[in-house]
Amino acid sequence: MSEILNAIKANQQRFLDELFDLLRIPSVSADTKFADDVKKAAEFVAQKLKEAGADKVELCSTPGFPIVYGEKIIDEKLPTVLVYGHYDVQPADPYELWDSPPFEPVVKDGKIFARGSADDKGQMYMHVKAFEILMKQNSLPCNIKFMIEGEEEVGSENLENFVKANLEKLKSDVVLISDTSMISNEEPSITTGLRGLSYLEVEITGPNRDLHSGVYGGAVANPINILCDMISKLHDEKRKITIPGFYEDVETVSAEERAEMAKAPFNQAEYNADLGIKKELGEDGFTTLERVSIRPTLDVNGIWGGYIGQGAKTVLPSKAYAKISMRLVPNQSSEKITKLFTEYFLKAAPEYVQVKVTPMHGGEAAVTPTNSIAYQAAAKAIEATYGKAPIPLRTGGSIPIVTMFEKVLGTKSVLLGFGLDSDSIHSPNEHYGVWNYFKGIETIPYFLKYFTEMSK
Ligand code: BES
Ligand code: MN
Ligand code: MN
């Protein structure tokens, strides 16, 4: 398939320029201030799909942001691959920690720096460009459908209804997703498991108004102090989560599978050095790789209240807030965990304060089989372009729609991601390797080819 490589070489600059145009659109789905830009990004993707040769391209409206659909059916008898990706991005905050503005992409040290470069615009757009090449060369080996959404980063709230209403349209043999990472460019891997998620916000109310912290301090419960007490009790000294029933449904991973996992290349000292930490911390009895894949967790994602502006202000605040995420593993139910947390947190609240818990979003964990045609085809594709067989690996992030597709469409996904954990997704200075971008464009056609051949 050297024609693919030639096409990539011949179009290198344009492929980068187009991605840069997409990255310049601040399609932050979480912040209504960017609503117009989110729609602009949808239109951009639809336009590019059309130009690449997709039929029936449409912006399917939802109560939230539109879902971009497009397809190329070359022969009903051939397999159909449904490409899923997202054009929305996480907020870029805190802006001051970026070395260059998040929506003004630049290449530095061979990496594209911009919000969404790796998650997921850069990875999603590889599919559009791979498709364009195959169309131009008249060598698309199978049918292809695209479903690119704009609400992934806020919980894909409208996707399930869309899928349910479009079962026939979305019918396919496999869902192909590039929205995950690999161990490294030298050690390719394929994600075989994702964690589930339960995300909620808590609000603690103390006195009915902010108070002078000298006049009242010492006599009235400070909701921030109380919130900190409550949060600190959510883990015990072994870093186990203390919510009763939290581990009840957690699947025990066999000693064999854990031994298999331990073979993945991993260096704790390098990991710590990369993160600038002296020592790692996690649940007793598990390795770092296990802690971020087969074990559930609870983390505060944000905490605020009182005065956080410049200088000092002596205030005993009326309210304190925290956003909390729990990462879940197969067999745990996001709904049940949300309920257990809520009950426990409400009960744990001392009488001096009032507590409110608001569930935000969630989703179930996913494990993808390695004995499927789709996985085998993906592994073969990676081997063809990386020169090395990929390692199957469960990772810690969540893509809740994977389980939803399985439930609603009855279709399994293959997680063919080309990012790296060090891409700083969701963080300042998010980046995506130029090499990874083109490697993805090169590998995707192999997947389509092998999947078609192996499906026969
Ligand atoms: N692409 C990520 C998920 C991911 C990243 C999986 C890296 C594996 C490795 C996705 O966009 C994401 O951020 N998902 C959210 C969940 C969603 C419900 C907001 C997450 O994992 O926090
Ligand atoms: Mn993503
Ligand atoms: Mn994300």
Side-chain angles (χ1 to χ4, degrees):
M1 300 230 276
S2 63
E3 324 83 69
I4 302 281
L5 269 182
N6 291 339
I8 293 175
K9 269 200 202 105
N11 293 287
Q12 209 155 5
Q13 194 54 46
R14 180 173 59 85
F15 284 3
L16 272 180
D17 289 344
E18 288 178 14
L19 174 60
F20 274 39
D21 286 341
L22 177 58
L23 291 170
R24 278 189 200 97
I25 309 173
S27 49
V28 180
S29 51
D31 188 342
T32 49
K33 175 165 97 225
F34 295 104
D36 287 344
D37 294 301
V38 183
K39 283 179 209 139
K40 251 183 237 160
E43 281 155 20
F44 181 97
V45 174
Q47 180 61 29
K48 293 297 174 191
L49 272 177
K50 243 184 248 169
E51 287 169 15
D55 298 326
K56 297 194 182 162
V57 174
E58 59 176 311
L59 285 183
C60 308
S61 53
T62 73
F65 294 115
I67 292 160
V68 183
Y69 180 84
E71 62 175 42
K72 188 74 202 178
I73 308 296
I74 51 170
D75 181 348
E76 295 288 351
K77 288 190 284 302
L78 286 169
T80 302
V81 173
L82 174 63
V83 173
Y84 165 86
H86 61 97
Y87 61 80
D88 66 321
V89 300
Q90 285 271 324
D93 310 77
Y95 280 68
E96 66 275 15
L97 295 185
W98 285 77
D99 295 330
S100 55
F103 299 107
E104 293 172 31
V106 286
V107 175
K108 246 185 328 188
D109 307 326
K111 297 167 194 139
I112 306 160
F113 284 81
R115 170 57 85 234
S117 53
D119 184 13
D120 180 41
K121 286 171 171 173
Q123 297 213 57
M124 174 271 289
Y125 205 63
M126 299 178 318
H127 288 272
V128 183
K129 293 301 101 178
F131 171 65
E132 176 195 301
I133 294 175
L134 291 170
M135 286 299 289
K136 274 204 186 125
Q137 300 185 343
N138 203 14
S139 57
L140 184 67
C142 58
N143 303 316
I144 193 162
K145 296 176 174 177
F146 291 88
M147 173 172 56
I148 314 296
E149 74 153 319
E151 297 185 301
E152 197 277 342
E153 299 291 10
V154 287
S156 306
E157 266 182 60
N158 296 295
L159 196 67
E160 183 160 350
N161 280 340
F162 174 78
V163 171
K164 281 182 175 154
N166 293 282
L167 295 179
E168 200 46 42
K169 183 182 190 145
L170 300 172
K171 211 170 160 215
S172 58
D173 298 284
V174 67
V175 183
L176 176 61
I177 306 175
S178 296
D179 195 20
T180 50
S181 45
M182 288 197 183
I183 297 173
S184 71
N185 290 342
E186 294 73 40
E187 288 287 353
S189 57
I190 296 181
T191 300
T192 51
L194 294 160
R195 287 194 285 192
L197 181 68
S198 161
Y199 198 107
L200 34 84
E201 192 172 307
V202 300
E203 179 192 291
I204 312 285
T205 308
N208 60 8
R209 59 186 188 276
D210 285 4
L211 305 173
H212 188 287
S213 68
V215 176
Y216 290 95
V220 178
N222 178 330
I224 301 183
N225 294 8
I226 301 283
L227 176 59
C228 291
D229 286 350
M230 290 173 73
I231 287 171
S232 72
K233 286 186 193 131
L234 291 168
H235 287 95
D236 66 14
E237 66 289 348
K238 292 194 160 136
R239 303 309 296 173
K240 294 235 178 252
I241 294 152
T242 53
I243 300 169
F246 185 86
Y247 292 99
E248 206 167 77
D249 302 323
V250 171
E251 158 198 272
T252 11
V253 175
S254 69
E256 292 82 55
E257 201 182 327
R258 287 177 71 180
E260 199 52 44
M261 280 181 69
K263 287 188 196 152
F266 178 79
N267 182 310
Q268 188 68 57
E270 281 171 20
Y271 183 89
N272 294 0
D274 174 49
L275 300 178
I277 54 174
K278 273 203 199 111
K279 190 157 175 42
E280 71 282 7
L281 174 69
E283 188 183 355
D284 245 29
F286 295 94
T287 65
T288 294
L289 282 182
E290 289 170 343
R291 286 168 177 170
V292 297
S293 61
I294 59 166
R295 298 301 295 168
T297 59
L298 183 153
D299 275 291
V300 178
N301 293 238
I303 181 163
W304 70 104
Y307 182 69
I308 52 168
Q310 250 185 46
K313 178 190 175 198
T314 47
V315 60
L316 193 163
S318 165
K319 285 180 189 288
Y321 305 84
K323 289 184 193 284
I324 293 174
S325 72
M326 288 167 281
R327 296 284 169 172
L328 312 176
V329 297
N331 209 38
Q332 280 185 300
S333 140
S334 155
E335 207 176 307
K336 178 172 166 185
I337 292 296
T338 300
K339 193 166 157 267
L340 289 179
F341 176 94
T342 307
E343 283 168 7
Y344 178 69
F345 212 66
L346 293 180
K347 225 164 71 200
E351 58 192 319
Y352 333 108
V353 295
Q354 283 156 268
V355 176
K356 199 167 110 193
V357 178
T358 312
M360 311 272 283
H361 59 231
E364 313 306 338
V367 244
T368 59
T370 52
N371 59 4
S372 66
I373 292 174
Y375 183 89
Q376 301 290 337
K380 208 171 152 191
I382 298 264
E383 197 165 351
T385 57
Y386 283 73
K388 204 169 180 183
I391 299 171
L393 201 68
R394 290 212 219 170
T395 56
S398 306
I399 311 182
I401 48 86
V402 169
T403 311
M404 189 270 282
F405 290 152
E406 216 173 304
K407 197 181 76 192
V408 181
L409 287 171
T411 313
K412 293 228 186 267
S413 298
V414 59
L415 299 160
L416 188 56
F418 295 91
L420 299 176
D421 283 347
S422 53
D423 288 341
S424 298
I425 65 170
H426 295 205
S427 301
N429 301 315
E430 174 178 353
H431 54 271
Y432 189 41
V434 173
W435 185 88
N436 302 66
Y437 179 54
F438 290 117
K439 204 66 177 171
I441 301 177
E442 181 192 346
T443 308
I444 290 161
Y446 278 96
F447 171 79
L448 300 176
K449 176 178 181 286
Y450 294 142
F451 182 69
T452 308
E453 288 172 4
M454 291 160 84
S455 295
K456 274 181 192 146

